[in-house]
Amino acid sequence: MKERVLVVDDDPDIVQFVRMNLELEGFEAETAENGRIALDMAKTRPPDLVLLDVMMPEMDGLTVLRHMRNSPATANVPVIILTAKALAEDRVRGLDLGADDYVTKPFDLDELMARVKTVLRRAQQMRDLSPLTGLPGNFRIARELEERVRSGEPFAVVHADLDNFKAFNDHYGFMRGDSVIKFSASTLLNAAEACGDPDAFVGHVGGDDFVAVINPNNAEEFCKAATTSYDDGILDFYDTADALQGYIEVVDRRGERHAFPISSISIGVATNMRRRITSEWEASAVASEMKEYAKRQPGSSYQIDRRT
């Protein structure tokens, strides 16, 4: 699907010139001749990026930008402002209002296209980061797995999630639950760093699910480091009385009390060391299968697939 760029300028010659060149570069271009039209278009169907002239009648570009940043529909749409070379204060105000970049007029076409591609690429990368942990999300996880499978080089896929996390979240609330998710992310990152693997990758699928891709020779060391570190730190998130008794009590919808042990981490590992893995889906499925085996063990544990 083509990325859509909305070009906003009251000069029809500039609008058509930019639109034509954007389309030559493979983008879908839409145009607006003034700020009010642009704002309506952006809110109705948010584009992937807005090229926004500052100097326009009726509603100038900075006012459009301010309205965009205050609207949930357009708050995160990337904006490049077009400013006159002499008006440095417009560039500063635009950046203060949340513009992602600026280009001075008259602009160099190659520079404009380079900035459009850079801002779009940066926006895509930011969209694919977990806002909670800052780790790569599903799109980049899938791409990483696909590249590792395609390369044919040895790799290990790690699938980790937390045991009894829902009960913890229900008992203590989502804010403390979010703190445990962040702690888990740090635990896995530190385990990857401890292995000394420069190509290690750690991603956050969502909720309490994580994926790592590491050198298979480091798989055992990674799992040991992650489970040990998790167990060493998780009690800090429990109230003292709950930590001492080793469980929390959660009341269900029927009013019945249930005891849930201290949260632990379960890890499953799939590698292509002993058998060929032909797709990212197969790698993910085997790692998930191993994780389910790990969950059958009490406390934090891991299982590495060693089948041929």
Side-chain angles (χ1 to χ4, degrees):
M1 183 182 296
K2 292 182 179 180
E3 291 172 298
R4 293 188 301 111
V5 179
L6 175 59
V7 183
V8 189
D9 200 305
D10 61 330
D11 186 328
D13 293 333
I14 290 178
V15 166
Q16 293 308 313
F17 175 70
V18 173
R19 180 190 61 77
M20 179 182 68
N21 283 280
L22 283 169
E23 290 175 347
L24 288 173
E25 291 288 336
F27 297 105
E28 177 184 339
E30 298 176 342
T31 63
E33 62 191 25
N34 64 56
R36 295 190 185 281
I37 294 174
L39 199 56
D40 288 341
M41 290 176 66
K43 288 182 177 180
T44 302
R45 189 178 175 226
D48 295 298
L49 181 142
V50 176
L51 280 175
L52 181 61
D53 185 36
V54 170
M55 297 294 293
M56 291 185 294
E58 293 187 52
M59 180 184 289
D60 63 52
L62 296 180
T63 303
V64 173
L65 177 59
R66 185 170 62 251
H67 283 295
M68 286 183 62
R69 291 298 176 248
N70 289 332
S71 170
T74 56
N76 297 314
V77 174
V79 175
I80 298 176
I81 56 172
L82 307 176
T83 71
K85 186 172 289 187
L87 299 177
E89 64 272 18
D90 285 344
R91 298 197 294 273
V92 173
R93 286 182 60 205
L95 294 171
D96 284 344
L97 287 170
D100 296 85
D101 204 348
Y102 67 86
V103 176
T104 55
K105 299 170 70 174
F107 51 79
D108 177 80
L109 181 62
D110 290 338
E111 178 190 2
L112 177 65
M113 293 301 150
R115 288 182 182 272
V116 166
K117 292 173 184 177
T118 298
V119 169
L120 283 168
R121 183 169 60 249
R122 187 166 58 224
Q124 176 59 54
Q125 291 170 345
M126 291 303 296
R127 280 196 296 270
D128 197 47
L129 291 179
S130 163
L132 179 59
T133 62
L135 293 177
N138 289 335
F139 176 79
R140 287 179 61 189
I141 291 170
R143 187 172 61 188
E144 183 73 20
L145 290 177
E146 184 180 0
E147 290 174 357
R148 297 288 183 116
V149 170
R150 188 188 302 121
S151 74
E153 297 294 323
F155 67 89
V157 178
V158 178
H159 189 180
D161 77 6
L162 310 183
D163 309 313
N164 302 314
F165 176 72
K166 184 180 184 304
F168 179 96
N169 217 33
D170 291 343
H171 185 70
Y172 288 119
F174 71 90
M175 291 192 70
R176 204 183 298 193
D178 284 353
S179 296
V180 169
I181 296 297
K182 292 177 184 177
F183 161 69
S184 305
S186 297
T187 294
L188 295 171
L189 286 170
N190 291 337
E193 186 176 353
C195 293
D197 180 359
D199 297 320
F201 172 93
V202 179
H204 185 190
V205 177
D208 62 336
D209 283 279
F210 297 86
V211 167
V213 187
I214 57 176
N215 187 308
N217 295 319
N218 298 329
E220 190 107 31
E221 181 185 358
F222 174 90
C223 292
K224 287 180 178 178
T227 52
T228 300
S229 179
Y230 189 87
D231 288 345
D232 286 346
I234 188 59
L235 286 176
D236 293 341
F237 299 93
Y238 283 78
D239 289 350
T240 303
D242 293 334
L244 288 173
Q245 69 184 4
Y247 63 88
I248 56 176
E249 290 188 342
V250 178
V251 179
D252 65 18
R253 294 176 182 175
R254 298 178 180 177
E256 298 175 351
R257 288 182 174 274
H258 299 272
F260 290 88
I262 299 298
S263 176
S264 53
I265 188 169
S266 293
I267 299 174
V269 182
T271 83
N272 62 350
M273 292 286 280
R274 298 191 176 206
R275 62 166 163 171
R276 185 166 173 254
I277 293 179
T278 59
S279 70
E280 61 270 31
W281 298 285
E282 182 183 0
S284 175
V286 175
S288 296
E289 180 188 6
M290 292 298 103
K291 185 200 68 180
E292 293 306 314
Y293 282 121
K295 278 188 171 294
R296 298 174 188 174
Q297 307 300 318
S300 294
S301 62
Y302 62 90
Q303 289 290 330
I304 301 174
D305 183 28
R306 292 187 170 93
R307 295 170 296 184
T308 56

